[in-house]
Amino acid sequence: AMAGAVFGQAPLSYAISLIGWRKCILLVGLVGVCLAILCALFLKDAPNQSPRSLQNQQDSFEFKHILQVLRNKQNWLLTVYNGLAFSPIAIFGGLWGNPFLEQAYHVDKTETASLMSLVFIGLGLGSPLLGLLSDHLNRRRSIMMVNTLIGFLAINGILYCHPMPIYLLASLLFIFGFSLGSFMLVFTIGKELNPYFLTATVVSLINTSEPILNGLTEPVIGKILDLNWDGAIQNGVHVFTLQNYHLALSILPLYLLAALGLLCFVKKEPN
């Protein structure tokens, strides 16, 4: 997934400049149709079960099991944390980071997309490496707390410490993505805190916070920008000042700060 985001940033930006965004979106949609066909042809619907899954298999799945997941306060802490920790990456890396970098660092769209791809490279490397580290140390929450704090410091540096050399900006973008790769550990914790046969249900619950919070926050940031817009227009497009971006994007470090606070109430790892 992160490789797709990396290779899609600069090439897609370049393609849009050549043939326009409508044709690019159409091509991306056609690729999606091809992927759907490949999934239908080659993905197994019922893979072989492991001995562990057979050992923990239940005779039937009942509504009370869903209630069991919903009544667990730890599951809700992990769900909200997941949304708060991942949303800054999705919002900054996928939408509002590009125009901010163009305004703050005066780089063109293709260079901005290349810089933004470093966030996803960091995330793609950080998720498995931090997962391996958590397995080695048997410490989930501690690794999440340290790396969420690092991500908080990195996004503040990106937003408020400009101008800075491009190499330093690139480093902070990579660190921002790498450190927040620790958010994936919420799924491991959720699996460990619940009966094994409820793993898919717990993972599904935790994962719902990402699209919900992203879907709410992105237009809120746009609304804040519009409310503080000074009327400047360039090539028919609204132009926002750095102060506008600083105010609107301050939501992102606040999310990470709130995520840190929630982690304090997540059940500690076993001794």
Side-chain angles (χ1 to χ4, degrees), residues 110-182:
T110 302
E111 187 176 359
T112 299
S114 298
L115 286 168
M116 200 58 63
S117 67
L118 292 171
V119 174
F120 298 103
I121 292 175
L123 184 62
L125 292 174
S127 295
L129 292 178
L130 293 173
L132 286 171
L133 181 62
S134 74
D135 285 339
H136 178 71
L137 299 178
N138 195 26
R139 290 290 183 269
R140 315 287 190 206
R141 193 183 73 163
S142 301
I143 289 175
M144 291 165 64
M145 293 188 74
V146 169
N147 283 279
T148 303
L149 177 60
I150 293 173
F152 169 77
L153 296 175
I155 191 62
N156 275 288
I158 294 166
L159 291 177
Y160 303 114
C161 294
H162 57 80
M164 67 175 73
I166 293 298
Y167 74 87
L168 184 55
L169 171 64
S171 299
L172 285 177
L173 288 168
F174 176 83
I175 292 170
F176 174 60
F178 186 95
S179 60
L180 291 185
S182 62

Side-chain angles (χ1 to χ4, degrees), residues 33 41 79 85 89 100 127 148 160 165 177 197 200 208 223 226 232 237 253:
V33 172
L41 292 175
T79 298
I89 287 183
F100 168 76
S127 295
T148 303
Y160 303 114
F197 76 98
T208 56
K223 187 64 176 179
D226 284 337
V237 179

Side-chain angles (χ1 to χ4, degrees), residues 7-186:
F7 292 112
Q9 284 276 350
L12 191 59
S13 177
Y14 180 69
I16 288 174
S17 67
L18 289 180
I19 64 175
W21 66 269
R22 291 184 184 275
K23 291 182 179 179
C24 283
I25 295 298
L26 177 61
L27 290 174
V28 170
L30 292 175
V31 171
V33 172
C34 293
L35 287 174
I37 294 172
L38 289 174
C39 289
L41 292 175
F42 297 108
L43 285 185
K44 293 182 179 180
D45 198 28
N48 295 329
Q49 292 179 310
S50 65
R52 183 182 179 189
S53 65
L54 290 173
Q55 181 180 353
N56 293 274
Q57 191 175 18
Q58 300 293 306
D59 293 333
S60 62
F61 186 87
E62 301 176 6
F63 184 72
K64 66 179 181 180
H65 297 135
I66 297 177
L67 294 179
Q68 181 180 345
V69 171
L70 296 177
R71 288 169 179 166
N72 190 332
K73 295 180 181 179
Q74 291 293 312
N75 292 338
W76 288 106
L77 288 173
L78 295 173
T79 298
V80 178
Y81 169 85
N82 182 55
L84 292 172
F86 183 74
S87 289
I89 287 183
I91 294 168
F92 190 78
L95 181 60
W96 291 114
N98 288 49
F100 168 76
L101 293 183
E102 290 177 32
Q103 179 74 298
Y105 294 93
H106 307 292
V107 291
D108 59 35
K109 293 184 182 296
T110 302
E111 187 176 359
T112 299
S114 298
L115 286 168
M116 200 58 63
S117 67
L118 292 171
V119 174
F120 298 103
I121 292 175
L123 184 62
L125 292 174
S127 295
L129 292 178
L130 293 173
L132 286 171
L133 181 62
S134 74
D135 285 339
H136 178 71
L137 299 178
N138 195 26
R139 290 290 183 269
R140 315 287 190 206
R141 193 183 73 163
S142 301
I143 289 175
M144 291 165 64
M145 293 188 74
V146 169
N147 283 279
T148 303
L149 177 60
I150 293 173
F152 169 77
L153 296 175
I155 191 62
N156 275 288
I158 294 166
L159 291 177
Y160 303 114
C161 294
H162 57 80
M164 67 175 73
I166 293 298
Y167 74 87
L168 184 55
L169 171 64
S171 299
L172 285 177
L173 288 168
F174 176 83
I175 292 170
F176 174 60
F178 186 95
S179 60
L180 291 185
S182 62
F183 91 94
M184 294 289 289
L185 292 174
V186 296

